[in-house]
Amino acid sequence: MKIFNKERGDIKIYIATHSDFVAKVPAIYEPLLVGSDFNVAELVSCKDNVGDNISRKNRSYCELTALYWMWKNSNSDVLGLVHYRRFFPGLAGNSDLFGILGEGEVRHYLARYDILLIKKYQLHKESVYDQYKACHNEADMVAVREIIAKKCPDYNQAFRDVMLGNELVRYNMFVANKTLVDEYCQWLFPLLFELEEVVSVSGYDGYQKRVYGFLAERLFTVWLAKRKPRIKYFGLRNIERQKRRQVVRIWLRAFTRRWLR
């Protein structure tokens, strides 16, 4: 595993957004308009329909159209993906957006870890497979299992372990060295593209059409279980739900964590 040089190297964390993102953010952040083939944002200059892209798939792929664009078009040494309302908590920010992960923290952690993630979600009464079956179309997950068995059978055990377990990495959010991101994307997207050949979303409602984004959360968890990178977990900073007092507590925890680890 290539270790990130914390003194050098370009960092870019893309903010997936469907519309204008107006909050001021540190220089390492870049708003990225997803679904740019049909979504409009006058104040966002970075769009996912430029260069090699799958922007037209956004209604089914969700933030994965941003991930694909980053993989194919960004040359930064470190890549990250967050959402317009979901961030990693940290020490950076200003009066617009306070208490998010900053450049110094990224360099600090990636000198010790391979990838930064939101902490795993714990399912208390059902497995990952059962939860997907209850909320989505089970046949899609069965098809994924069959494609993995055919294309990368060395992932079969990790797939079974994750599906029978009760932990899930949600939101498709991360910060990592680009070499690791490339490795993941080279594994993920061929699986999803083959899945498109056997899955039809024509009868799905708007929510269920997001099938590839939902499946990618499970597949990301599988890839991590097989790949076993060194992971640093964070809580979730939701800027739409958290009030100022909550943010101060998050900032203080981040400050303590930054200097004690």
Side-chain angles (χ1 to χ4, degrees), residues 16-244:
T17 181
H18 293 92
S19 58
D20 276 320
F21 184 88
V22 298
K24 295 179 181 179
V25 289
I28 62 170
Y29 289 90
E30 177 76 22
L32 172 59
L33 184 69
V34 296
S36 298
D37 277 357
F38 40 84
N39 290 325
V40 177
E42 296 180 358
L43 302 178
V44 177
S45 60
C46 189
K47 305 179 189 300
D48 74 349
N49 65 348
V50 176
D52 191 346
N53 72 88
I54 56 170
S55 178
R56 67 190 182 282
K57 299 178 185 285
N58 179 255
R59 291 190 177 97
S60 291
Y61 274 68
C62 309
E63 63 277 347
L64 298 183
T65 63
L67 176 59
Y68 186 92
W69 185 90
M70 292 158 53
W71 172 36
K72 293 296 187 178
N73 298 283
S74 179
N75 294 317
S76 295
D77 301 294
V78 167
L79 291 177
L81 179 60
V82 298
H83 302 175
Y84 66 94
R85 61 191 174 102
R86 299 187 183 107
F87 288 78
F88 290 91
L91 304 176
N94 50 46
S95 58
D96 275 358
L97 186 51
F98 178 74
I100 63 175
L101 194 69
E103 178 178 349
E105 294 167 286
V106 172
R107 295 186 185 278
H108 171 81
Y109 289 123
L110 288 185
R112 297 158 175 79
Y113 300 92
D114 299 316
I115 189 168
L116 313 183
L117 299 173
I118 299 298
K119 65 181 179 180
K120 293 180 180 179
Y121 180 70
Q122 301 287 329
L123 298 165
H124 298 293
K125 296 183 179 181
E126 55 190 351
S127 68
V128 170
Y129 187 92
D130 288 339
Q131 188 271 343
Y132 192 90
K133 177 181 176 180
C135 298
H136 307 289
N137 189 340
E138 182 183 10
D140 299 339
M141 184 62 77
V142 172
V144 167
R145 181 181 65 200
E146 293 173 351
I147 291 171
I148 288 176
K150 179 180 68 174
K151 294 182 70 72
C152 46
D154 54 320
Y155 278 82
N156 283 342
Q157 187 61 53
F159 182 87
R160 284 193 292 268
D161 291 344
V162 169
M163 291 302 116
L164 294 175
N166 65 347
E167 294 184 330
L168 178 64
V169 177
R170 296 192 295 175
Y171 308 127
N172 296 309
M173 290 170 54
F174 65 87
V175 180
N177 192 299
K178 190 177 189 302
T179 57
L180 193 65
V181 178
D182 289 347
E183 181 183 325
Y184 172 56
C185 291
Q186 288 162 5
W187 178 81
L188 173 69
F189 284 104
L191 298 178
L192 298 182
F193 293 158
E194 184 162 338
L195 182 65
E196 283 189 85
E197 299 177 6
V198 298
V199 169
S200 173
V201 300
S202 60
Y204 289 5
D205 61 24
Y207 179 73
Q208 295 298 344
K209 280 184 179 179
R210 295 156 58 185
V211 54
Y212 301 105
F214 295 141
L215 287 171
E217 292 178 305
R218 282 78 183 170
L219 291 175
F220 193 20
T221 309
V222 170
W223 184 82
L224 292 164
K226 170 65 174 176
R227 185 63 178 77
K228 293 182 171 59
R230 297 170 301 165
I231 301 172
K232 176 65 179 176
Y233 290 106
F234 293 79
L236 179 67
R237 168 82 164 90
N238 190 321
I239 66 173
E240 286 187 341
R241 296 179 181 175
Q242 291 165 341
K243 297 179 180 179
R244 184 74 176 186

